[in-house]
Amino acid sequence: MELNKIDPKFNSKLNPRIGLITLASDFRIEKDFNNVIYDKDIDLFCNRIHCYNPLTNETLKKMADDITDVTKEILPDQKLDCVAYGCTSGTIAAGYESIFEKVNKAKPNTKVSTPITAAIKGMNKMGIKQISIFTPYTSEINDSVCGYFEKENFKVNDLSYFDIASDLDIGKVDPNHLFEVLKKIDLSKSDALFISCTALPVLSLIDDLEKELDKPVISSNQALIWDSLNQINSNYVVEGYGRLFKS
């Protein structure tokens, strides 16, 4: 048998890399990321983190203990440009600085985005001061979400919620029902509507919701994707997912 050794040629230029940490029980967030970055020169790599149900501030904080190990397993020993931590209430419970440190312990010099910090950035850029909030959460988590925005100097005018304790059940919410619920929220005193939770199937609804409500609508996944693209210095135009991407 004749053997032929051929020299390989490697890519000299790599696409920007986003590492996504998603809850083990989340049905939605990977779909939303892929829908936005489809056909763009951006690479998305995911790993899942153990989620404890029911969702409480204590279990959400406990979940963050695994961030370093989960991050290490996203392209081991390879550089990531940005890590997106896919949990809104989990960021509030654990604290952004703690999440940043845990990610960078595994991947030094990596930018970190989270849904709630991304939403704050987006709202500040859009000049939003007063908000209405919708969540699928129980009262304990709702109090934390509202308190976070108030500490960031936003006025929370009203809160609507489903009172769901399990992340698995949040992912099973009917999008058509969700749209009907959201379009009825009174935003007359608010500059925008914030919809919390990466598991809710809301990203594809945002364009139509903004037409119905005539106000900006910001969701957890939308904000996280928007900020992650900014972190990797993406110049792609994103259409069909709300005013935030045009800001």
Side-chain angles (χ1 to χ4, degrees), residues 212-225:
E212 288 275 351
L213 297 168
D214 197 28
K215 293 283 179 74
V217 175
I218 296 174
S219 79
S220 291
N221 285 355
Q222 176 208 42
L224 183 63
I225 297 166

Side-chain angles (χ1 to χ4, degrees), residues 89-220:
S89 53
T91 302
I92 297 170
Y96 175 81
E97 291 302 326
S98 175
I99 293 168
F100 182 90
E101 289 173 7
K102 287 179 170 69
V103 167
N104 276 268
K105 187 176 180 180
K107 301 281 188 181
N109 303 311
T110 301
K111 297 175 181 178
V112 178
S113 182
T114 74
I116 194 71
T117 53
I120 296 294
K121 287 182 187 178
M123 290 180 189
N124 284 333
K125 187 169 185 180
M126 298 175 79
I128 293 166
K129 303 295 183 185
Q130 300 190 47
I131 59 173
S132 296
I133 296 177
F134 179 87
T135 87
Y137 309 134
T138 60
S139 58
E140 177 187 355
I141 309 300
N142 287 334
D143 289 345
S144 297
V145 173
C146 292
Y148 189 94
F149 278 107
E150 288 166 349
K151 286 179 182 177
E152 293 291 329
N153 299 314
F154 290 89
K155 183 180 179 183
V156 179
N157 287 325
D158 53 88
L159 167 73
S160 304
Y161 63 100
F162 279 148
D163 195 28
I164 302 174
S166 167
D167 193 63
L168 281 167
D169 290 334
I170 293 171
K172 298 173 185 175
V173 169
D174 182 343
N176 294 321
H177 174 68
L178 181 60
F179 182 83
E180 292 301 316
V181 169
L182 294 173
K183 77 176 188 179
K184 294 174 183 174
I185 294 177
D186 182 5
L187 298 183
S188 59
K189 296 180 181 179
S190 297
D191 301 321
L193 172 64
F194 175 67
I195 305 167
S196 189
C197 192
T198 61
L200 272 181
V202 70
L203 181 66
S204 62
L205 308 178
I206 289 178
D207 249 16
D208 288 336
L209 278 173
E210 289 185 335
K211 292 172 185 174
E212 288 275 351
L213 297 168
D214 197 28
K215 293 283 179 74
V217 175
I218 296 174
S219 79
S220 291

